Amino acid sequence: MNSGVNQSILITGESGAGKTENTKKVISYFATICSSGKRKEGEASLEDKIVQTNPVLEAWGNAKTVRNDNSSRFGKFIRIHFNASGKLSGADMVVYLLEKSRLTYQQPLERCYHSFYNLMSDQVPDLKEKCLLSNDILDYWYVSQGKITVPSIDDKEDMMFADEAFDVLGFSSEEKYDVYKNTACMMHMGNMTKDFVPVGKEEQAEIKDDTNANKVAALAGIDPEWMINYFCKPKLKVGTEWVNKGSTCSQASNSVAGIARAVYERTFRIVVDKCNETLIDPTMKKIHYIGVLDIAGFEIFDYNGFEQICINYVNEKLQQFFNQHMFTLEQEEYVREGLDWANVDFGMDLGPCIEMFEKPMAFLAIFEEESLFPKATDETFKNKLHDNLLGKHPNFAKPNPRPDPDAHFAIVHYAATVSYNLTGWLEKNKDPLNDTIVEMIKNGSNALMIQCFADHPGQPTEVKDDGGRKKKGGGKTVSSYFKGQLDDLMS
């Protein structure tokens, strides 16, 4: 604090090691020790607001995994700002890669995000009625594929803390209920995916019982008939004409799932943005900050998929950053200061593994290329990885058949060798959205949903002429967005 230099605390460890709990302790320590003492009448203090972000972020961003009952399924970098006299003058946070696949699928011993079970806990009296929810979590299959209760977690108490935290953070009653409605809308969307039935020789998807669809449309603030129509037959532009493209039941269900995941993830991001607005005191100067990085820990499960490789790649980069600063640069400092010191090689250079991910025509480049290639399949992706990396990069290896006999390749990480299964990665990386439905939502009556898709072009009927120039930023994949975020963090 006295040096006046920005500093950061990097909290690492494997999944379940206690990173998030440590982060909370660090933040509440700084918030208490450096309290500004400023407080408007009837309003929570800045320190209280900073600490109160936890219940909200944990409810919407944490879930039970095999290893950890309260695992952060996203990364966060929190900056605590101080003024010239070392008093607290605000905070802000950036979040990284919320795990979206958990929203529509959970393994038997895992659970979806805490928020769904909090909503169902009856803590807020009129919530179920406003969100059109029943009394049984098992009525919503999206969030009841794994465990539905966790012995160490009291969902009712957590909902009380989260509901109070929204008030402290300055959410209006309407904004708070919009977050609840968007969360519940996803639960109803899960049920809607089961309502599609095939009709005729083409097996065109249709919905006979529109009960669930009506609930989804009511919460999303859009017309139910048109919504059903566009999930079954989305509009596409062919040349200068708009045509309706038929969908099978599987395609229509995937379309609903894509919108459901996007609604939840974008709602989470807006909640974080709203927290950031509240945590900055514009009347106080921000001279320097202390940053706290809490990112998902290294993971190795029986089945390792897309999320695990993203998390483990980040951990590889952070560990290299830590080694470089703690071992290499620290020893150089000793030499500069003229200390009697013999350099020690800690044998922890993670460069080869990071190069295997980042070099041209290496892992990430191949993944990006295959994700954007229309005819690519899991098999072509696997073959391309093996052809380009096996035998050429020591960190890329053949998979161990135990415990997952279907794994496609292995990576030798600093912490362990992990076998990965790449089934469905290309689709996850593209994460396509039904533009016709997005356009409907953007013109609907749910204010938070409209905000969720504010940065999405939707499907405007009048396309502006851009003089034949290529659109920038089109077709951005999950991995490229994530890589961009990681590069920002490391810089």
Side-chain angles (χ1 to χ4, degrees):
M1 193 73 71
N2 297 335
S3 67
V5 177
N6 293 335
Q7 298 171 54
S8 286
I9 299 168
L10 174 59
I11 299 177
T12 63
E14 65 177 340
S15 185
K19 295 178 297 301
T20 301
E21 290 304 312
N22 248 315
T23 303
K24 288 195 284 196
K25 296 272 189 297
V26 168
I27 289 167
S28 64
Y29 172 77
F30 285 129
T32 311
I33 282 298
C34 306
S35 166
S36 61
K38 285 178 68 178
R39 185 192 291 247
K40 285 183 192 163
E41 193 64 41
E43 192 182 307
S45 67
L46 190 55
E47 305 81 76
D48 290 342
K49 287 178 181 176
I50 290 172
V51 173
Q52 285 297 333
T53 57
N54 282 319
V56 172
L57 292 182
E58 285 196 11
W60 268 261
N62 287 24
K64 172 185 164 42
T65 64
V66 178
R67 296 269 172 86
N68 181 359
D69 286 353
N70 188 29
S71 176
S72 304
R73 306 315 298 159
F74 67 103
K76 60 181 181 287
F77 181 55
I78 301 172
R79 292 188 304 179
I80 303 167
H81 297 275
F82 301 93
N83 64 14
S85 58
K87 293 295 179 195
L88 201 64
S89 63
D92 61 15
M93 62 187 129
V94 183
V95 293
Y96 301 93
L97 193 81
L98 182 76
E99 181 186 48
K100 289 196 284 188
S101 64
R102 177 174 299 274
L103 294 163
T104 48
Y105 170 74
Q106 304 98 48
Q107 292 185 36
L109 294 175
E110 303 208 336
R111 191 169 89 146
C112 201
Y113 289 102
H114 300 325
S115 56
F116 300 108
Y117 314 94
N118 294 358
L119 290 191
M120 296 295 285
S121 69
D122 291 317
Q123 171 61 34
V124 181
D126 58 347
L127 191 147
K128 283 183 178 172
E129 187 187 334
K130 287 186 176 174
C131 294
L132 313 176
L133 293 166
S134 72
N135 285 318
D136 190 355
I137 190 78
L138 293 171
D139 291 342
Y140 305 98
W141 80 275
Y142 258 6
V143 296
S144 58
Q145 296 169 64
K147 296 281 185 192
I148 52 172
T149 56
V150 181
S152 64
I153 291 174
D154 182 339
D155 290 312
K156 195 164 184 172
E157 185 183 58
D158 285 355
M159 186 64 200
M160 177 182 78
F161 290 143
D163 194 61
E164 286 171 1
F166 275 123
D167 296 335
V168 172
L169 289 165
F171 282 71
S172 68
S173 180
E174 191 182 341
E175 286 171 331
K176 183 167 72 172
Y177 274 92
D178 278 348
V179 173
Y180 298 157
K181 283 177 184 174
N182 279 13
T183 309
C185 185
M186 217 213 83
M187 297 162 78
H188 295 299
M189 282 184 174
N191 292 353
M192 186 180 159
T193 61
K194 301 275 195 188
D195 292 338
F196 293 106
V197 290
V199 174
K201 275 196 298 189
E202 303 288 316
E203 297 201 326
Q204 167 62 46
E206 282 188 14
I207 284 182
K208 302 287 187 202
D209 179 359
D210 60 4
T211 312
N212 291 314
N214 285 335
K215 290 176 183 173
V216 170
L219 292 171
I222 55 181
D223 181 84
E225 280 184 43
W226 281 110
M227 180 190 77
I228 292 169
N229 183 38
Y230 287 141
F231 269 128
C232 296
K233 295 177 181 176
K235 285 196 302 185
L236 283 177
K237 195 162 194 184
V238 180
T240 55
E241 298 292 312
W242 286 100
V243 296
N244 286 78
K245 179 181 176 288
S247 302
T248 62
C249 293
S250 166
Q251 288 168 333
S253 294
N254 288 341
S255 179
V256 174
I259 293 287
R261 287 191 293 267
V263 165
Y264 190 91
E265 192 236 2
R266 286 162 182 259
T267 300
F268 179 72
R269 275 200 253 156
I270 286 172
V271 167
V272 171
D273 290 344
K274 173 77 179 160
C275 289
N276 282 341
E277 284 173 28
T278 314
L279 297 178
I280 284 294
D281 184 344
T283 63
M284 294 182 78
K285 279 191 171 175
K286 288 149 206 62
I287 304 297
H288 50 263
Y289 69 79
I290 293 178
V292 185
L293 181 66
D294 169 25
I295 212 127
F298 188 87
E299 291 189 341
I300 175 167
F301 299 133
D302 288 351
Y303 178 96
N304 300 293
F306 178 59
E307 289 71 29
Q308 279 67 48
I309 202 163
C310 288
I311 287 167
N312 293 346
Y313 162 55
V314 175
N315 276 275
E316 201 80 41
K317 290 270 285 188
L318 290 175
Q319 189 65 40
Q320 176 75 331
F321 181 82
F322 175 79
N323 294 348
Q324 171 76 1
H325 281 76
M326 285 305 294
F327 303 141
T328 313
L329 298 179
E330 191 70 17
Q331 293 191 82
E332 287 173 8
E333 181 81 13
Y334 295 165
V335 173
R336 271 201 305 276
E337 290 178 3
L339 296 179
D340 184 12
W341 178 262
N343 260 357
V344 180
D345 179 9
F346 289 88
M348 286 283 282
D349 182 25
L350 281 51
C353 187
I354 293 166
E355 280 182 8
M356 187 272 301
F357 274 102
E358 296 182 349
K359 278 185 98 170
M361 271 321 288
F363 188 90
L364 289 173
I366 294 168
F367 188 23
E368 188 76 2
E369 188 179 275
E370 287 292 284
S371 298
L372 300 174
F373 184 61
K375 292 183 180 172
T377 63
D378 290 343
E379 189 61 26
T380 63
F381 178 34
K382 184 197 90 168
N383 292 341
K384 205 161 188 179
L385 286 177
H386 280 258
D387 293 347
N388 285 277
L389 303 178
L390 195 61
K392 296 171 188 171
H393 288 273
N395 292 78
F396 189 90
K398 288 183 176 174
N400 185 338
R402 286 183 308 193
D404 180 9
D406 300 320
H408 298 99
F409 65 92
I411 290 179
V412 183
H413 291 286
Y414 74 95
T417 300
V418 183
S419 294
Y420 293 99
N421 188 314
L422 54 70
T423 306
W425 286 19
L426 299 178
E427 204 58 28
K428 273 185 188 174
N429 201 29
K430 285 184 283 197
D431 204 21
L433 288 179
N434 180 328
D435 291 344
T436 323
I437 296 292
V438 172
E439 185 64 25
M440 280 190 78
I441 290 172
K442 283 167 76 79
N443 292 290
S445 59
N446 178 327
L448 186 60
M449 282 251 191
I450 294 167
Q451 204 182 336
C452 280
F453 292 100
D455 64 342
H456 191 288
Q459 197 173 56
T461 42
E462 294 296 317
V463 180
K464 289 177 191 160
D465 182 26
D466 59 0
R469 289 194 306 274
K470 269 194 171 180
K471 278 196 293 186
K472 269 192 174 176
K476 192 155 196 184
T477 58
V478 175
S479 62
S480 65
Y481 175 72
F482 183 50
K483 172 84 168 60
Q485 278 196 316
L486 182 58
D487 290 344
D488 288 346
L489 175 66
M490 302 305 282
S491 57

